Amino acid sequence: MSRVDEAVSRFSEGFSCSQAVCSVFAGDYGLTDEQALKVASGFGGGMGQTGGTCGVVSGAVIVLGLAYGATSPDEKEAKAKTYALVQEFVAEFSRRHGAVDCPALLGCDLATPEGRERARQEGLTRKVCPAYVRSAAEILEQML
């Protein structure tokens, strides 16, 4: 199974969008599956259902940091490269979907009880989020 398909499968199993994206790539950079799932666990639903950046974007940013990030304040080139790659990812995801924040992508705000209820009643995360998981994993596959 490809990583893209694996990410979608993990999301379908019940992992958050950020966990699904992060976990299928993080092993390449030394994280165990358990560590990757834990690190990414708070980012689903727009950063813990606060209406922020979509978890697939956050999961991808974690992976880009694992792949290229700085481990010392002196690693200015690594920091600059990571920032540039994050910007590239965000631009491509935005080009494909028009936004990177959960309210815009879902059409409702998970930060509010009304928004969460609407998403639940309409099954929005099961209808629209798999495409975002797939897209984020595809973009990462191309970038890494």
Side-chain angles (χ1 to χ4, degrees):
M1 181 182 305
S2 75
R3 287 194 225 210
V4 172
D5 291 335
E6 179 67 19
V8 174
S9 176
R10 287 184 179 203
F11 181 75
S12 296
E13 291 169 10
F15 288 107
S16 73
C17 52
S18 56
Q19 289 175 305
V21 171
C22 180
S23 66
V24 298
F25 293 95
D28 291 351
Y29 307 103
L31 262 62
T32 66
D33 206 42
E34 181 178 327
Q35 290 168 326
L37 292 168
K38 284 184 175 187
V39 165
S41 66
F43 293 97
M47 296 188 171
Q49 294 185 329
T50 64
T53 301
C54 175
V56 299
V57 176
S58 298
V61 170
I62 292 168
V63 172
L64 291 170
L66 288 169
Y68 301 105
T71 58
S72 156
D74 298 330
E75 295 182 74
K76 308 255 187 262
E77 288 180 26
K79 186 176 187 178
K81 180 175 184 161
T82 304
Y83 286 178
L85 290 168
V86 168
Q87 292 166 11
E88 181 182 332
F89 178 91
V90 167
E92 178 59 20
F93 191 88
S94 293
R95 185 190 69 72
R96 291 184 185 194
H97 303 290
V100 294
D101 63 297
C102 270
L105 293 167
L106 285 176
C108 67
D109 189 354
L110 296 178
T112 67
E114 299 81 18
R116 285 190 299 277
E117 180 61 20
R118 178 174 165 228
R120 188 191 63 72
Q121 285 183 351
E122 296 179 24
L124 290 177
T125 59
R126 296 295 161 219
K127 287 180 186 173
V128 300
C129 294
Y132 301 140
V133 170
R134 177 171 296 286
S135 183
E138 288 171 350
I139 296 167
L140 273 177
E141 284 253 286
Q142 293 168 0
M143 293 180 73
L144 296 171

